[in-house]
Amino acid sequence: MEILAPKRNERAGYKVDVSRGQRISRVSSEWFNRPADERYLSLNDLGKAVKSRSERSKTRIVESELIRVEASRDDPERLRLMLPDAPAPVAPTHWSFGQLASLVGAPATYLRQLPAPLAAINLQHGLLKHRAEQVKTLEIENGRLELRAVTGPDYGRIFDSELVDAVQKIAGNGTGDTRWKVPGVLDWSTGIYNPHVDISRDTTTLYASDRDVFVFLVDDLNPIEAGRLPNGEPDLYFRGFYCWNSEVGARTLGIASFYLRAVCQNRNLWGVEDFEEITIRHSKYAASRFALEAEPALIQFADSSPMPFVNGIKTARQRIVARDEDDRQGFLRKRGFSKSETTKIIDTILMEEGRPPESIFDFVQGITRVARDKSHQDVRLDMEGKAKKLLDFAN
């Protein structure tokens, strides 16, 4: 078991076996849905964009009954809000309009179909009857005064720029000036993962919209060997993490860390092991939780030795739990797998490895491969959860 030295001048890349471990599509989903103006080529550019809007935004708590909703005279199709002590009318964005409607218990889709004066009457009635009495607004000067978000008064905002700042402490510009960088690409025809890929709008994994931020980085110039493949070649891994946040309440804050074997052109993660995730809701004490939990966890993962992971894989490979067919069947059935699932897992390992499963590592690989083919997400996650428990059992 060893950590291989980085091959920074090696352009050929690394031979990997992506048939093992999990496939995670979260990053691919982000990559697929992001338009060009939400894709950034460096953490510096991303950080400047989100910091600029944070600096131009201000938040405050206002009394619900003091908000006045009016139809704009200049644009009859739009509403504007008169907030207490605001220097000018505030125009709600599509997102904040939906939040406002939700807070007062009105269907946003229906209100958007109404003429603006009628929608204003309905919203005004809801604000006057709003039980919470107060709301927290996030306003920005963007050529005009816009309402970016409206939430309950106890909403614990963590600005997107705070998350990007935390990432930059360990990843610099995210382009290779530290060990953490935008990932390379797997060549499916050769099974070789090439970490040296030019960062473009098509390959970047640094994203931000007016509602959120998402960052995915890997340490793919420093491969980790954790055992050998059946053909004797090293089984190589790379460390990776992604994180996300929304300062306007569109999603939680979260960080996921893992070991992976490759990233393909569509930004799917292949051969993932040891996946861990923490999320923080934007509740009253969210900012302190970010400072005390999320940011230190990210730094710890970035600076930690991979040896616990390597040793865990080694232990799972060495832990023999089945010597014959009865052992294999019994081992899986006792852990909640159906008869058909048990047969499928054993047959999968036999077909791909050329031998039946014996160690805990063998069974984990078989379970995760079968889980990939499950179309129902809950079933897939349940199987992957059982595989993780097996690894924990081995250690």
Side-chain angles (χ1 to χ4, degrees):
M1 301 294 142
E2 63 176 330
I3 304 171
L4 301 184
K7 300 180 180 180
R8 296 184 181 273
N9 297 321
E10 176 60 62
R11 302 296 297 185
Y14 305 99
K15 182 72 173 180
V16 292
D17 181 6
V18 296
S19 68
R20 298 166 176 260
Q22 301 179 52
R23 178 181 68 84
I24 294 180
S25 60
R26 171 67 186 276
V27 181
S28 180
S29 178
E30 296 285 342
W31 172 83
F32 182 79
N33 289 295
R34 297 285 179 169
D37 62 353
E38 294 182 12
R39 298 168 179 248
Y40 292 81
L41 303 185
S42 70
L43 281 174
N44 284 348
D45 291 344
L46 176 62
K48 289 177 183 177
V50 295
K51 188 172 184 178
S52 173
R53 73 185 183 199
S54 296
E55 291 175 342
R56 290 182 290 113
S57 299
K58 71 173 184 177
T59 185
R60 55 183 173 147
I61 295 176
V62 300
E63 300 293 328
S64 303
E65 64 179 14
L66 298 181
I67 300 174
R68 295 290 176 262
V69 187
E70 299 178 357
S72 172
R73 294 187 181 90
D74 299 328
D75 185 354
E77 300 302 317
R78 294 187 63 87
L79 297 177
R80 62 180 185 178
L81 305 177
M82 303 298 296
L83 303 180
D85 301 322
V90 180
T93 62
H94 186 274
W95 173 252
S96 64
F97 180 86
Q99 287 182 309
L100 184 62
S102 177
L103 281 174
V104 302
T109 302
Y110 172 70
L111 291 180
R112 289 191 179 102
Q113 296 173 351
L114 296 177
L118 187 55
I121 292 173
N122 281 272
L123 274 178
Q124 188 69 72
H125 176 75
L127 287 167
L128 292 173
K129 301 296 183 181
H130 187 219
R131 290 183 179 181
E133 297 182 353
Q134 294 180 327
V135 295
K136 179 180 287 188
T137 64
L138 179 66
E139 304 152 40
I140 187 170
E141 179 59 50
N142 201 20
R144 62 174 181 173
L145 198 57
E146 286 186 344
L147 180 67
R148 294 189 60 214
V150 54
T151 61
D154 291 331
Y155 180 79
R157 179 166 288 107
I158 301 170
F159 281 98
D160 295 336
S161 58
E162 295 179 75
L163 178 61
V164 176
D165 285 345
V167 172
Q168 286 201 275
K169 289 179 181 178
I170 64 169
N173 205 21
T175 57
D177 55 326
T178 71
R179 65 192 302 136
W180 295 100
K181 55 182 278 295
V182 171
V185 173
L186 171 67
D187 184 340
W188 283 104
S189 65
T190 62
I192 292 177
Y193 174 75
N194 179 13
H196 304 281
V197 174
D198 292 336
I199 301 175
S200 67
R201 302 290 180 191
D202 290 330
T203 63
T204 187
T205 51
L206 311 173
Y207 311 125
S209 71
D210 60 343
R211 300 181 191 178
D212 71 338
V213 65
F214 185 94
V215 172
F216 167 47
L217 297 172
V218 294
D219 177 13
D220 60 4
L221 293 175
N222 300 281
I224 301 164
E225 179 183 337
R228 295 275 168 173
L229 301 175
N231 63 4
E233 294 181 353
D235 190 6
L236 299 181
Y237 298 83
F238 309 95
R239 293 192 297 169
F241 72 88
Y242 58 75
C243 52
W244 66 92
N245 184 55
S246 171
E247 63 192 25
V248 298
R251 57 171 69 178
T252 61
L253 179 143
I255 298 173
S257 63
F258 40 83
Y259 291 81
L260 75 163
R261 292 174 173 92
V263 184
C264 69
Q265 179 67 48
N266 293 338
R267 293 349 217 171
N268 277 305
L269 314 186
W270 293 91
V272 175
E273 308 278 2
D274 203 30
F275 182 90
E276 300 286 348
E277 180 179 291
I278 60 172
T279 59
I280 296 178
R281 294 179 60 250
H282 291 87
S283 56
K284 187 174 184 179
Y285 301 106
S288 59
R289 283 196 63 198
F290 173 71
L292 295 174
E293 297 178 30
E295 184 173 1
L298 182 61
I299 294 173
Q300 180 181 4
F301 175 74
D303 294 338
S304 64
S305 167
M307 290 313 297
F309 165 75
V310 172
N311 291 333
I313 295 294
K314 179 180 180 181
T315 299
R317 289 182 188 274
Q318 294 175 341
R319 185 77 175 272
I320 304 300
V321 293
R323 299 290 184 181
D324 55 34
E325 185 63 20
D326 288 340
D327 289 346
R328 289 185 279 275
Q329 293 280 340
F331 181 78
L332 290 172
R333 295 302 300 276
K334 288 178 182 179
R335 282 154 182 82
F337 292 98
S338 68
K339 185 175 181 179
S340 61
E341 288 173 337
T342 295
T343 300
K344 180 68 173 175
I345 292 167
I346 295 173
D347 288 347
T348 297
I349 292 297
L350 183 60
M351 179 179 64
E352 297 187 5
E353 300 289 343
R355 58 175 178 79
E358 297 178 340
S359 68
I360 286 182
F361 187 80
D362 292 337
F363 283 104
V364 168
Q365 297 306 308
I367 293 167
T368 53
R369 288 175 212 175
V370 171
R372 287 183 193 171
D373 297 330
K374 298 294 184 181
S375 57
H376 197 287
Q377 182 178 6
D378 290 342
V379 176
R380 185 176 71 254
L381 292 176
D382 178 64
M383 293 190 73
E384 291 174 349
K386 290 177 181 177
K388 188 176 187 306
K389 287 182 180 179
L390 277 182
L391 279 178
D392 294 339
F393 171 72
N395 296 284

